[in-house]
Amino acid sequence: MKTPILIASFTLLWCSAGARAQTSVDLDKKYHPITAYEVRPGIFMTAEYATDGQVCRMTLEPRRTSKDAINLDVLVDDDLVDAFVDEIAPPGTRGKPGKYDGLTLMLGQPAITIKDYEYVTIRRYGNVRNIRGKQYLEPWVVTLTWNKRTCPS
């Protein structure tokens, strides 16, 4: 009778060792920290930086989790994407249109639209929908990459 209790106690202690609370200091030691900015309610932007400290890539995406649910079908409003892109990389700072400006790669419903400029490339990853006979890209994730800056990853 003592053996099962002893085994159960040992197992409980062993399993609970990894369940301790983790602080931001603990996580920073274990993982590479990143910074996320909430640029609009429920819309997050992460930034990656070149070795000189200048931003080299930004990623915009909606929050897909809450304390109550995980929703993978959350989209970014297209007007919000346009406003955000204009805010981060105003048209006058993008340079001349590049070779792939306006290219859309469709892979069934998923698609990528590329707006290529001399200094920045904007990619919209999303889902193609047919609405009243016209095709629209509903963005899931948007990236801005500065072409003259090198990201470490």
Side-chain angles (χ1 to χ4, degrees):
M1 185 67 153
K2 289 183 182 179
T3 303
I5 293 173
L6 186 60
I7 290 172
S9 297
F10 178 75
T11 302
L12 187 61
L13 274 171
W14 184 71
C15 290
S16 67
R20 68 179 180 82
Q22 295 181 350
T23 66
S24 62
V25 173
D26 295 335
L27 294 173
D28 285 352
K29 287 178 186 176
K30 191 172 181 179
Y31 305 108
H32 176 73
I34 62 167
T35 304
Y37 303 90
E38 188 169 22
V39 295
R40 303 289 189 278
I43 304 295
F44 293 115
M45 186 264 302
T46 56
E48 297 175 55
Y49 300 93
T51 55
D52 65 358
Q54 292 288 315
V55 70
C56 56
R57 183 179 305 119
M58 291 181 172
T59 302
L60 181 74
E61 58 188 305
R63 182 178 188 122
R64 291 184 169 87
T65 61
S66 69
K67 66 178 186 155
D68 300 322
I70 295 174
N71 185 356
L72 299 177
D73 199 31
V74 178
L75 304 170
V76 182
D77 179 72
D78 213 35
D79 292 335
L80 184 139
V81 169
D82 292 338
F84 176 76
V85 167
D86 287 346
E87 181 180 315
I88 296 300
T93 66
R94 298 176 195 171
K96 294 180 261 178
K99 182 178 177 182
Y100 301 108
D101 185 42
L103 176 69
T104 298
L105 304 170
M106 293 178 53
L107 311 162
Q109 276 192 309
I112 304 167
T113 296
I114 300 170
K115 297 294 253 171
D116 185 34
Y117 298 94
E118 183 178 3
Y119 302 116
V120 68
T121 299
I122 303 158
R123 291 181 180 88
R124 296 175 188 224
Y125 301 84
N127 198 24
V128 175
R129 302 262 188 209
N130 287 313
I131 301 173
R132 290 184 221 103
K134 290 184 82 175
Q135 291 186 331
Y136 295 92
L137 178 70
E138 296 177 327
W140 290 324
V141 176
V142 177
T143 63
L144 286 83
T145 304
W146 277 259
N147 301 327
K148 308 283 185 194
R149 303 175 190 162
T150 304
C151 284
S153 58

